[in-house]
């Protein structure tokens, strides 16, 4: 069963307190981020229902928001997700080549996860890093000025981190 | 070196920290405003400054402020639009990431002017680490008495909250942003009522861009009239330009709007010329939505006059031969780039970002993407080019919000100025897969030593 722990509940309360009395639904986007981070990197129906219950809104109000915004994952993702920008400014600086390179290297297509559950590749639209292209988002941070060598290093780094954490 | 008002201190070491920012003269505008000025006087200064909205539309900020309704007993809100998502634009990110206290300072003064006790920064969800930077700055400001209750003994209370979006370009549109702030899908509202009357939670609301609100700091410090002396005509003050694409020095630059486009691209102080010794083919000067211009029309207007980096000059000639200042996202294409492919990626972007409310945009952006993909892949027909033109024309002006226009304009401008490149793709489908169309007659008039 999904349930926030004490620390997560404290964060939930902090988020809700930012809005006027009775307008707690306004906290929905940040609370969904919190839920996604807390429950395995994606939003299951169970998670969304739990958020609805906490915010005292109907489940449909959560579903319609979760399906609208691109940052909410509606199915499980790999331990590391590469979100590579493919819009004009990144394309001009070679993002096609980077996306192809990652596909070949990991043996997956955009939207897929490696069999070991380690990596998910996703193509995304402009992330506001056009001057530092090509780029991708990994978790909370951006990786910019990507080259094939840099991609190799990032994959290596992820594998190392995963090995140390296990 | 041009005048620097926003980025003057951006390179001071640790300027992100409160103590350093304060030592460098930070928060003086809050002292001046709260101790010596009335809220209305601040609105007047901003009006006098001629400051225009820096998010893309360029609407006079002071005038927008003066529209806010003040019904008795109803709270008002200032909302900072930090949902920067227009391809080519990354200037607000730079401000928030490197000199966050400037925005917080601008927000306090602006909140006082508008009577907003709870002010929200709506930031795009992907800028996750910047949320921490802003919250840190807010905490520091609060600990030093610039936020909270009875600021500087003025009787004015103010809190600033940071709300993270979750990946939707449309939320940069102010009414979609308000919907999103209320915890809903980012579907733009029909106006009127305007946010100044009925905004977030049906309360009077002003939504301004990060750069606009940061510019309030120098305006209050130097006075609106002095600010208006910088720049030219109705392009007053300084503007941040985020330059990207095939240039030597991509990055964020502050300009005073009197420099020419040619100087901006070729001078070492700014873009440093086209990368790899290539020649300039085309440029989208104000973010992906504004019309793309071939080199000859970018550097000089149709009348043969020098084109400058300001609102009026960039739009000289209207859409037939000009473009727009927009958000200041300056995207440069060198001679090796394909206009058809670039336009296709932008069409894909707008299809992805359409909220789906209005059928011309929901259906039209999908069609444009598919047709452009066909042409790019060598499967296009001659009639497709006219069909594209027809679709964009039927989207423009027929949607609730400007996303429809934003999707239509890049396609229209690409066909208007580069029709021969589209035709070449259709006529030579196999060759188009192997090589680029090149420069044709758009040649860069600037001599580049090889």
């Amino acid at each position: 069963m999904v349930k926030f722990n004490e620390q997560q509940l404290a964060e939930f309360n902090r988020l809700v307190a930012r809005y006027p009395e009775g307008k707690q639904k306004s906290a929905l986007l940040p609370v969904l981020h919190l839920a996604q981070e807390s429950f395995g990197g994606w939003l299951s129906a169970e998670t969304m229902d739990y958020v609805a219950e906490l915010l005292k809104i109907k489940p449909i109000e959560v579903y319609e928001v979760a399906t609208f915004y691109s940052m909410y994952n509606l199915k499980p993702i790999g331990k590391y997700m590469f979100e590579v920008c493919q819009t004009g400014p990144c394309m001009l600086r070679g993002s096609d080549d980077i996306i192809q390179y990652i596909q070949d290297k990991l043996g997956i297509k955009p939207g897929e996860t490696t069999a070991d559950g380690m990596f998910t590749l996703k193509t995304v639209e402009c992330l506001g890093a056009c001057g530092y292209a090509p780029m991708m988002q990994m978790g909370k941070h951006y990786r910019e000025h990507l080259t094939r060598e840099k991609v190799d290093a990032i994959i290596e780094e992820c594998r190392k981190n995963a090995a140390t954490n296990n | 070196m041009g005048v620097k008002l926003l980025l003057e201190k951006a390179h001071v070491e640790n300027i992100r920290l409160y103590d350093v920012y304060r030592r460098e003269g930070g928060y003086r505008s809050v002292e001046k405003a709260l101790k010596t000025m009335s809220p209305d006087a601040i609105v007047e200064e901003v009006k006098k400054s001629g400051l225009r909205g820096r998010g893309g539309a360029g609407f006079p900020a002071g005038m927008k402020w003066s529209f806010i309704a003040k019904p008795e007993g109803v709270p008002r809100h200032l909302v900072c639009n930090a949902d920067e998502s227009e391809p080519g634009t990354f200037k607000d990110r730079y401000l928030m990431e490197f000199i966050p206290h400037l925005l917080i300072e601008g927000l306090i003064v602006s909140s006082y002017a508008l009577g907003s006790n709870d002010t929200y920064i709506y930031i795009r969800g992907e800028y996750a680490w910047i949320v921490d930077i802003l919250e840190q700055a807010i905490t520091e400001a609060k600990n030093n008495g610039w936020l909270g209750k009875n600021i500087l003994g003025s009787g004015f209370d103010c809190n600033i909250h940071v709300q993270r979006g979750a990946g939707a370009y449309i939320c940069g549109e102010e009414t979609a942003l308000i919907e999103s702030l209320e915890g809903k899908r980012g579907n733009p509202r029909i106006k009127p009522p305007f946010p100044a009357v009925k905004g977030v939670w049906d309360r009077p609301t002003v939504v301004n861009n990060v750069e606009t609100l940061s510019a309030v700091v120098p305006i209050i410090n130097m006075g609106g009239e002095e600010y208006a002396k910088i720049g030219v005509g109705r392009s007053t003050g300084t503007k941040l330009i985020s330059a990207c694409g095939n240039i030597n020095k991509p990055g964020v630059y502050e300009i005073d709007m009197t420099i020419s486009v040619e100087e901006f691209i070729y001078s070492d102080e700014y873009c440093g010329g086209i990368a790899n010794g290539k020649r300039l083919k085309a440029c989208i000067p104000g973010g992906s939505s504004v019309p793309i211009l071939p080199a000859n029309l970018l550097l000089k207007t149709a009348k043969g006059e020098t084109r400058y980096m300001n609102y009026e000059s960039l739009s000289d000639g209207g859409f037939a031969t000009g473009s727009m200042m927009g958000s200041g996202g300056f995207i440069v294409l060198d001679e090796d780039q394909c206009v058809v492919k670039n336009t296709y990626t932008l069409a894909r972007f707008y299809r992805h970002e359409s909220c789906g409310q209005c059928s011309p945009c929901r259906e039209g952006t999908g069609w444009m993407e598919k047709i452009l993909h066909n042409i790019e892949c060598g499967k296009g027909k001659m009639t497709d080019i006219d069909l594209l033109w027809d679709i964009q024309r039927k989207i423009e002006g027929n949607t609730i919000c400007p996303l429809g226009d934003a999707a239509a304009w890049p396609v229209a401008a690409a066909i208007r100025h580069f029709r021969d490149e589209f035709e070449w793709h259709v006529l030579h489908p196999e060759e188009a897969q192997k090589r680029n169309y090149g420069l044709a007659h758009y040649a860069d008039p600037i001599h580049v030593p090889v």
Side-chain angles (χ1 to χ4, degrees), chain A residues 4 9 88 91 150 152:
Chain A
F4 283 144
L9 263 182
M91 183 276 290
K150 223 162 172 176
D152 288 343

Side-chain angles (χ1 to χ4, degrees), chain B residues 60-92:
Chain B
M63 202 183 303
K64 192 171 188 179
W65 285 12
S66 66
F67 293 152
I68 193 163
K70 296 178 177 170
E72 198 61 32
V74 182
R76 303 186 284 277
H77 294 286
L78 170 64
V79 178
C80 171
N81 185 346
D83 192 56
E84 180 171 68
S85 311
E86 171 91 358
T89 316
F90 48 100
K91 64 184 178 73
D92 295 339

Side-chain angles (χ1 to χ4, degrees), chain B residues 106-126:
Chain B
L107 281 171
I108 299 167
V109 174
S110 308
S111 299
Y112 174 66
L114 293 161
S116 168
N117 302 121
D118 282 289
T119 291
Y120 295 86
I121 301 174
Y122 182 96
I123 185 168
R124 69 175 302 176
E126 292 89 346

Side-chain angles (χ1 to χ4, degrees), chain B residues 3-8 10 54-55 84 88-96 99 102 209-212 214-215 227 236-243 251-257 264 270 285-286 309 311 325-330:
Chain B
V3 187
K4 301 266 181 290
L5 299 177
L6 303 177
L7 301 186
E8 189 192 354
R54 302 293 196 229
E84 180 171 68
T89 316
F90 48 100
K91 64 184 178 73
D92 295 339
R93 164 187 170 185
Y94 189 92
L95 273 179
M96 295 186 288
I99 183 160
L102 181 69
N209 171 262
V210 170
E211 187 188 346
T212 313
S214 301
Y227 183 88
T236 62
T238 60
K239 175 85 189 83
L240 295 184
I241 304 291
S242 57
V252 176
Y253 299 101
E254 183 168 13
I255 61 161
D256 73 5
M257 298 199 263
F264 185 70
Y270 303 107
M309 294 289 290
Y311 290 94
M325 174 68 110
S327 62
F330 195 85

Side-chain angles (χ1 to χ4, degrees), chain B residues 295-368:
Chain B
N296 50 0
L297 279 177
L298 176 75
L299 302 174
K300 295 216 186 304
T301 67
K303 286 174 275 178
E305 290 162 358
T306 302
R307 203 184 280 282
Y308 292 93
M309 294 289 290
N310 63 51
Y311 290 94
E312 289 75 24
S313 188
L314 282 171
S315 57
D316 185 284
F319 277 10
T321 59
S323 184
M324 276 171 80
M325 174 68 110
S327 62
F330 195 85
I331 310 168
V332 177
L333 282 73
D334 72 21
E335 59 188 295
D336 288 346
Q337 302 303 333
C338 173
V339 169
V340 176
K341 184 166 187 191
N342 189 60
T343 311
Y344 159 64
T345 74
L346 298 182
R348 182 180 59 203
F349 172 84
Y350 290 107
R351 188 266 305 153
H352 185 261
E353 302 301 339
S354 173
C355 81
Q357 241 190 149
C358 315
S359 25
C361 174
R362 182 187 61 240
E363 305 300 322
T365 52
W367 290 355
M368 292 198 301

Side-chain angles (χ1 to χ4, degrees), chain B residues 40-266:
Chain B
D40 287 346
I42 296 169
V43 176
E44 273 314 303
E45 284 308 311
V46 174
K47 271 189 181 169
K48 274 189 229 161
S49 74
L51 174 67
R52 293 168 69 173
R54 302 293 196 229
F59 190 81
M63 202 183 303
K64 192 171 188 179
W65 285 12
S66 66
F67 293 152
I68 193 163
K70 296 178 177 170
E72 198 61 32
V74 182
R76 303 186 284 277
H77 294 286
L78 170 64
V79 178
C80 171
N81 185 346
D83 192 56
E84 180 171 68
S85 311
E86 171 91 358
T89 316
F90 48 100
K91 64 184 178 73
D92 295 339
R93 164 187 170 185
Y94 189 92
L95 273 179
M96 295 186 288
E97 192 170 357
F98 297 108
I99 183 160
H101 280 285
L102 181 69
L103 173 63
I104 304 303
E105 182 177 353
L107 281 171
I108 299 167
V109 174
S110 308
S111 299
Y112 174 66
L114 293 161
S116 168
N117 302 121
D118 282 289
T119 291
Y120 295 86
I121 301 174
Y122 182 96
I123 185 168
R124 69 175 302 176
E126 292 89 346
Y127 287 172
W129 75 101
I130 302 179
V131 173
D132 296 343
I133 294 172
L134 290 172
E135 288 194 331
Q136 167 78 22
I138 290 167
T139 305
E140 286 180 327
K142 197 163 188 168
N143 291 344
N144 287 280
W146 303 102
L147 282 168
K149 287 215 175 301
N150 192 20
I151 303 166
L152 304 182
S154 63
F156 174 64
D157 305 339
C158 186
N159 283 304
I160 300 175
H161 315 276
V162 186
Q163 161 114 336
R164 235 180 114 190
Y169 168 73
I170 190 61
C171 292
E173 195 280 334
E174 61 178 9
T175 61
L177 186 153
I178 288 170
E179 287 284 299
S180 184
L181 187 54
E182 292 183 356
K184 301 175 197 156
R185 296 164 74 93
N187 288 350
R189 296 176 179 174
I190 293 172
K191 297 191 258 193
F194 288 90
V197 177
K198 262 190 173 192
V200 63
W201 310 304
D202 284 342
R203 299 169 177 181
T205 304
V206 165
V207 183
N208 281 140
N209 171 262
V210 170
E211 187 188 346
T212 313
L213 291 164
S214 301
V216 171
V217 174
I219 289 170
I220 294 306
N221 282 335
M222 68 201 298
E225 272 170 33
E226 283 303 305
Y227 183 88
K229 285 180 190 162
I230 302 163
V232 57
R234 290 180 57 235
S235 298
T236 62
T238 60
K239 175 85 189 83
L240 295 184
I241 304 291
S242 57
C244 63
N246 311 115
I247 46 175
N248 281 318
K249 290 170 59 196
V252 176
Y253 299 101
E254 183 168 13
I255 61 161
D256 73 5
M257 298 199 263
T258 59
I259 65 168
S260 68
V261 176
E262 184 180 324
E263 185 186 346
F264 185 70
I265 295 180
Y266 292 96

Side-chain angles (χ1 to χ4, degrees), chain A:
Chain A
M1 206 185 87
V2 294
K3 204 166 187 298
F4 283 144
N5 63 28
E6 213 167 290
Q7 195 191 346
Q8 290 155 350
L9 263 182
E11 175 63 6
F12 169 82
N13 288 325
R14 184 185 79 91
L15 292 171
V16 172
R18 305 193 299 200
Y19 309 97
E21 193 82 25
K23 303 293 181 193
Q24 77 283 356
K25 183 180 171 180
S26 295
L28 180 53
L29 270 71
V31 170
L32 282 176
H33 280 302
L34 177 66
Q36 182 160 287
E37 280 157 30
S38 308
F39 307 123
W42 71 292
L43 298 171
S44 65
E46 194 188 2
T47 301
M48 291 190 270
D49 291 348
Y50 175 62
V51 167
E53 190 190 311
L54 280 179
L55 286 173
K56 302 186 183 69
I57 55 179
K58 296 190 202 86
I60 183 70
E61 294 177 82
V62 180
Y63 305 159
E64 62 179 17
V65 162
T67 52
F68 183 84
Y69 296 92
S70 61
M71 290 182 77
Y72 300 127
N73 303 310
L74 301 175
K75 54 180 192 185
I77 57 161
K79 199 172 171 68
Y80 300 96
M81 179 155 69
F82 295 168
E83 299 178 80
V84 192
C85 175
Q86 58 174 354
T87 316
C90 271
M91 183 276 290
L92 296 175
R93 305 288 297 209
S95 61
D96 284 3
D97 182 61
I98 294 294
I99 294 166
Q100 191 58 50
Y101 184 69
I102 298 174
Q103 288 190 52
D104 295 345
K105 177 126 184 159
L106 297 177
I108 49 172
K109 290 197 172 62
E112 293 178 354
T113 301
T114 52
D116 60 1
M118 189 75 89
F119 298 103
T120 298
L121 173 63
K122 190 175 166 189
T123 51
V124 295
E125 300 297 344
C126 190
L127 297 188
C130 318
Y132 325 109
M135 64 80 64
M136 68 177 183
Q137 177 151 36
M138 195 174 87
K140 198 171 178 176
H141 295 276
Y142 285 3
R143 301 299 180 102
E144 299 169 329
H145 298 295
L146 291 180
T147 57
R148 291 178 175 210
E149 293 71 35
K150 223 162 172 176
V151 168
D152 288 343
I154 292 168
I155 291 174
E156 198 50 40
E157 174 196 323
C158 291
R159 290 211 165 108
K160 249 188 213 150
N161 283 343
T164 340
N165 294 342
N166 278 340

